[in-house]
Amino acid sequence: MMVFLRNMGFSRFESLLGLAVVAVVVTVALPRMKAEIEVEQGQRAEIEARDLAETILEYHLETGTWPHAHNGQADLTRLTLPERNSEARAASAGLLGALVSDPAWLPEVPLDPWNRPYTAFVPEDESGMILVISAGRNGILETDRDQLAKVCQAGRIGTGPVLTGDDIGYLQLETHPTGQP
């Protein structure tokens, strides 16, 4: 009895057919995966912008100042400095609160999902809004900075879109704790 060992592997045709099937699956799945990743990055940017706006508001409530740089734009590096108000913390947390070392509001300046810094605008005085923006996937801040600064100073949005292009952001309308003017 003779045994043929010819069927130990795949023929060239079977290998090419397998590669063709894999190529079709990748061609169909890759664009869908890329689109989902882009949606998730946009959602992450919105959440991080909201968190950053809330941190800026916390900074303002604790220090009594905004982290200004120029033209209404915020200096986000000030949020990484341990300059919290020890007296306010001692009053709210007792003596133990004053003895705890003052941590910074943020460990480092956050980057958006595309590894670029956020841009934030803050009011010049006690009225207005906080606006935090990511330049989006293309990395170009397409929204007019001067218009954004005016919107934040006025404390109202008015008519028309605030953000243009693929810019993503969060607008913090409340700049005072509840019950204060």
Side-chain angles (χ1 to χ4, degrees), residues 41-42 45 112-118 133-142 165-169:
Q41 286 175 322
D112 69 9
W114 300 275
N115 292 320
R116 289 183 289 272
Y118 286 94
I133 306 170
S134 163
R137 182 174 36 94
N138 69 4
I140 300 168
L141 189 60
E142 298 168 304
D166 70 342
D167 296 349
I168 299 169

Side-chain angles (χ1 to χ4, degrees), residues 44-92:
R44 185 173 134 214
E46 287 178 21
I47 292 168
E48 289 176 353
R50 183 197 67 221
D51 292 345
L52 189 53
E54 291 172 358
T55 302
I56 292 170
L57 180 59
E58 181 183 330
Y59 174 95
H60 172 69
L61 294 175
E62 287 190 27
T63 66
T65 63
W66 295 106
H68 285 295
H70 64 285
N71 194 21
Q73 191 168 341
D75 177 9
L76 299 179
T77 60
R78 291 187 61 189
L79 301 175
T80 63
L81 303 174
E83 55 184 55
R84 289 187 154 186
N85 186 342
S86 296
E87 295 167 8
R89 288 186 65 216
S92 65

